[in-house]
Amino acid sequence: SFTFPEYYNWPCFFTIQVNNDTKDKQLKLWQELICAYSEANKIHSWGVMELYASELCVNKVINRRLSKKDFDSVLDRIEKTGFASYATTAKDKIFVFWKSIQEYASDIYKWAQKTGRMNSVESVVDIPNSAENAKESFYKIPVEIVKKACEALQRERKAEVFYSEATDEYGVKFFYLQGIYFPKK
């Protein structure tokens, strides 16, 4: 069960303020609320309208609702700060990250190091779904999030992500950094 923070019961919380400093703080609180609620309820992705209709955006106790315009501002903020990503170009589904993509990337890279998976090819699907990873932060998260984390590692030259037409899956190869030449694409 999720315990809402005290500010969730403040009527002004449901109207994004015009003062830029106040607005920034308020959008940050909304981001923290949505991420914390999602983590507490083990939700990795939302239908955008499902999220808008949820108890997050509608406080029945004080009879307040976040406007659709303000809700869109909240989602834009969460996406811009790297804690969410739209799953479709239509922006009708959104992945909410409990950690930043970079934090997931770091966790996956540490896992690859400690489990002897350096310089070997791994299926992106298997990384979050293998029972042997049950204690890892990335266990059972959507493959799309794991792929984004592996792409972040690729930008750091710690991994290469590739697509196999033969298996219709993405794979990833993890690298040690010293002395590796990794051409830019």
Side-chain angles (χ1 to χ4, degrees):
S1 174
F2 182 75
T3 303
F4 282 92
E6 183 182 340
Y7 61 81
Y8 177 76
N9 289 312
W10 298 344
C12 60
F13 181 64
F14 286 83
T15 304
I16 301 299
Q17 304 301 303
V18 293
N19 176 285
N20 284 334
D21 288 339
T22 305
K23 180 180 182 177
D24 287 345
K25 289 174 188 169
Q26 194 174 15
L27 290 173
K28 185 175 189 277
L29 288 174
W30 272 105
Q31 173 181 315
E32 291 169 358
L33 176 63
I34 290 171
C35 290
Y37 182 94
S38 296
E39 182 175 12
N41 289 288
K42 308 282 188 243
I43 299 169
H44 293 283
S45 65
W46 290 88
V48 170
M49 294 314 294
E50 170 194 11
L51 177 56
Y52 183 60
S54 76
E55 66 180 326
L56 280 165
C57 298
V58 181
N59 185 329
K60 293 179 182 178
V61 173
I62 62 169
N63 196 28
R64 297 294 268 183
R65 169 192 246 336
L66 190 64
S67 74
K68 180 68 170 89
K69 178 184 171 208
D70 288 348
F71 173 71
D72 291 341
S73 295
V74 168
L75 292 187
D76 287 346
R77 155 70 188 230
I78 297 172
E79 183 186 36
K80 284 177 185 160
T81 58
F83 281 86
S85 176
Y86 286 103
T88 64
T89 54
K91 294 186 172 187
D92 56 355
K93 180 179 177 184
I94 193 164
F95 291 108
V96 175
F97 313 138
W98 309 344
K99 299 173 139 191
S100 70
I101 288 297
Q102 194 54 48
E103 288 172 298
Y104 281 124
S106 178
D107 290 350
I108 290 169
Y109 191 73
K110 286 175 189 170
W111 162 82
Q113 288 178 311
K114 76 180 178 187
T115 59
R117 287 176 166 83
M118 301 307 285
N119 295 317
S120 70
V121 176
E122 303 297 323
S123 163
V124 172
V125 170
D126 290 343
I127 294 171
N129 293 315
S130 174
E132 67 186 45
N133 297 334
K135 293 186 179 177
E136 301 293 341
S137 69
F138 50 83
Y139 183 63
K140 293 294 182 189
I141 67 173
V143 172
E144 295 89 344
I145 297 174
V146 173
K147 183 175 168 272
K148 285 180 181 297
C150 290
E151 288 167 345
L153 291 171
Q154 180 170 288
R155 287 188 295 277
E156 295 175 13
R157 300 180 180 203
K158 292 180 178 179
E160 181 177 8
V161 178
F162 55 90
Y163 175 74
S164 168
E165 288 186 23
T167 61
D168 191 32
E169 284 189 21
Y170 284 92
V172 61
K173 184 174 183 177
F174 300 99
F175 302 116
Y176 289 108
L177 290 178
Q178 56 272 38
I180 299 290
Y181 170 71
F182 191 61
K184 290 187 177 183
K185 294 184 177 184

